[in-house]
């Protein structure tokens, strides 16, 4: 801009002693080839060394993209060798080898070792590992015959109980993954989650089936209605990196976001962890649908389905979202003494 009689000069400084945001990147390109910019940051939140590292990482990522425009996001390197060594070494803490077994494999190992051990307490019912496995196997065979298989996603819309437990195990035994649809949620939230998850099959019961209609195959039968099917293990090839579960965030800050977990992810929640005790002597209460509780079965633990008031309503969810509440209804079973949170809820 030229103004008659007014001298002009380049403005080189951006700082005025205050910032509008905690961290702000200002980037521009004058010639379409080079990128210039500045970073404004709140000094009470960030130090200069940290901000310089952020700009270096951004520059490194941009160079990688320019050198290989087709690179996948998972292929971008954002850590230096020293940083990666620090994160995977001293900062990683104790590590445990979970092996290459799937969640199905770990569960079936427990069935083989302790078939008569109680796996599930549902009200007055006591269900052994062998009984739970048999029910899941019959259901899995039925689902497989209807087209559910490896790479698919199934929705599970059931009240907590024995059928709910068998359903999630049955789905992963087919090689598919599952997403939990909580009956306490509004119908719109259920339909949105089912659609976003891309489910091809829905496991539910006649009283809930109408709440989630869509282009998927709906199954309302229960294991007890399939007595003629083989109760033996299916033996399908399932790898540790196959998808096992798709969870959704609460959506309190916007649209719920999906988080896909592999068999390896879920097995690792109970393998070599320090946040809680896992094993055949432990008892966990399932106060709401949680993949972590299903993972506990891979350690030989017992799961108690908590009865109301834990099982329904927003107030119940507020009490149980942050912890696994030890059950007071397993009168014949020792109960874990401290509350723990199972990851992947």
């Amino acid at each position: 801009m030229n103004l008659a009689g007014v001298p002009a000069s380049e403005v080189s400084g951006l700082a005025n002693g205050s910032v509008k945001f905690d961290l702000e990147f200002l980037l521009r390109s004058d010639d379409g080839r080079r990128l210039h910019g500045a970073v404004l940051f709140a000094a009470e939140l960030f130090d200069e060394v940290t901000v310089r590292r952020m700009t270096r990482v951004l520059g490194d990522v941009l160079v990688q993209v320019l050198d290989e425009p087709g690179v996948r996001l998972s292929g971008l390197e954002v850590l230096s060798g020293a940083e990666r060594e620090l994160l995977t070494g001293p900062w990683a803490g104790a590590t445990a080898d979970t092996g290459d077994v799937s969640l199905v494999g770990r569960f079936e190992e427990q069935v083989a070792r302790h078939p008569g051990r109680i796996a599930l307490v549902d009200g007055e019912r006591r269900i052994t590992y062998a009984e739970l496995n048999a029910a899941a196997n019959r259901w899995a065979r039925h689902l497989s015959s209807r087209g559910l298989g490896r790479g698919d996603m199934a929705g599970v819309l059931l009240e907590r109980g024995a059928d709910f437990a068998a359903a999630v195990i049955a789905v992963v035994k087919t090689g598919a993954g599952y997403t939990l649809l909580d009956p306490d949620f509004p119908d719109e939230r259920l339909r949105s989650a089912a659609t976003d998850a891309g489910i091809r099959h829905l496991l539910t019961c006649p009283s809930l089936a109408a709440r989630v209609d869509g282009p998927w195959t709906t199954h309302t039968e229960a294991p007890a209605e399939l007595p003629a099917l083989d109760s033996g293990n299916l033996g399908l090839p399932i790898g540790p990196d196959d998808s096992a579960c798709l969870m959704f965030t609460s959506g309190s800050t916007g649209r719920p976001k999906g988080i896909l977990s592999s068999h390896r992810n879920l097995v690792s929640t109970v393998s070599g962890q320090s946040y809680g005790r896992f094993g055949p002597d432990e008892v966990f209460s399932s106060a709401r649908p949680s993949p972590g509780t299903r993972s506990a079965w891979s350690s030989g633990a017992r799961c108690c389905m908590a009865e109301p008031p834990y099982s329904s309503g927003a107030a119940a969810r507020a009490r149980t979202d942050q912890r696994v509440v030890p059950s007071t209804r397993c009168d014949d079973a020792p109960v874990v003494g401290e509350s723990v949170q199972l990851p992947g809820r």
Side-chain angles (χ1 to χ4, degrees), residues 267-341:
V267 169
S268 68
T269 64
V270 297
S271 301
Q273 298 290 356
S274 59
Y275 63 84
R277 299 190 304 270
F278 296 90
D281 296 328
E282 308 302 336
V283 180
F284 295 93
S285 173
S286 177
R288 70 187 301 272
S290 165
T293 308
R294 258 51 69 197
S295 301
W297 279 320
S298 69
S299 70
R302 180 184 304 190
C303 176
C304 296
M305 294 295 180
E307 298 180 14
Y310 298 116
S311 61
S312 64
R317 289 197 298 276
R319 287 195 298 273
T320 59
D321 274 0
Q322 298 303 316
R323 62 192 186 280
V324 173
V325 182
S327 174
T328 58
R329 306 207 176 250
C330 298
D331 300 326
D332 62 344
V335 177
V336 176
E338 71 247 16
S339 299
V340 299
Q341 181 176 356

Side-chain angles (χ1 to χ4, degrees), residues 36-295:
H36 305 272
V39 181
L40 306 182
F41 63 94
E44 66 271 18
L45 298 178
F46 300 96
D47 55 42
E48 184 176 340
V49 173
T50 299
V51 175
R52 286 188 177 277
R53 178 188 172 276
M54 292 179 180
T55 59
R56 175 184 59 78
V57 171
L58 175 60
D60 291 345
V61 169
L62 293 176
V63 168
Q64 294 176 63
V65 173
L66 289 172
D67 289 343
E68 188 180 350
V71 64
R72 298 178 64 87
L73 292 179
S74 59
L76 293 174
E77 184 59 71
V78 298
L79 298 175
S80 66
E83 290 169 338
R84 182 171 295 280
E85 184 177 349
L86 183 64
L87 289 173
T88 58
W91 287 5
T95 59
D97 183 12
T98 60
D100 290 332
V101 67
S102 68
L103 188 65
V104 172
R106 285 286 293 267
F107 173 72
E108 291 177 351
E109 286 176 4
Q110 297 301 326
V111 174
R113 291 175 183 174
H114 312 289
R117 175 173 290 156
I118 300 299
L120 177 66
V121 177
D122 180 18
E124 299 300 320
R125 298 180 64 186
R126 300 294 187 269
I127 300 169
T128 67
Y129 270 84
E131 291 169 338
L132 181 58
N133 187 52
N137 285 336
R138 287 194 292 269
W139 211 344
R141 279 192 164 78
H142 174 71
L143 295 173
S144 292
S145 69
R146 298 286 297 277
L148 183 63
R150 193 174 188 180
D152 292 334
M153 185 64 60
V156 178
L157 176 61
L158 291 167
E159 298 287 355
R160 286 171 301 100
D163 286 350
F164 168 80
V168 294
I169 297 174
V171 170
V172 294
K173 277 176 174 280
T174 69
Y178 66 90
T179 188
L180 300 179
L181 303 174
D182 193 335
D184 281 349
F185 289 154
D187 291 0
E188 182 180 356
R189 170 75 181 269
L190 295 178
R191 286 191 293 269
S192 174
T195 300
D196 290 348
I199 68 170
R200 293 187 56 195
H201 294 255
L202 174 66
L203 282 68
T204 185
C205 60
S207 62
L208 296 174
R211 295 185 59 188
V212 186
D213 54 348
W216 37 77
T217 301
T218 299
H219 306 270
T220 58
E221 60 281 337
E225 301 171 36
L226 308 169
L229 296 181
D230 185 359
S231 62
N233 293 332
L234 279 68
L236 299 176
I238 302 173
D241 295 318
D242 286 349
S243 297
C245 177
L246 179 65
M247 300 165 284
F248 284 91
T249 61
S250 64
S252 57
T253 58
R255 186 180 180 87
K257 301 173 180 62
I259 304 170
L260 187 63
S261 296
S262 66
H263 283 257
R264 190 190 306 276
N265 296 147
L266 297 185
V267 169
S268 68
T269 64
V270 297
S271 301
Q273 298 290 356
S274 59
Y275 63 84
R277 299 190 304 270
F278 296 90
D281 296 328
E282 308 302 336
V283 180
F284 295 93
S285 173
S286 177
R288 70 187 301 272
S290 165
T293 308
R294 258 51 69 197
S295 301

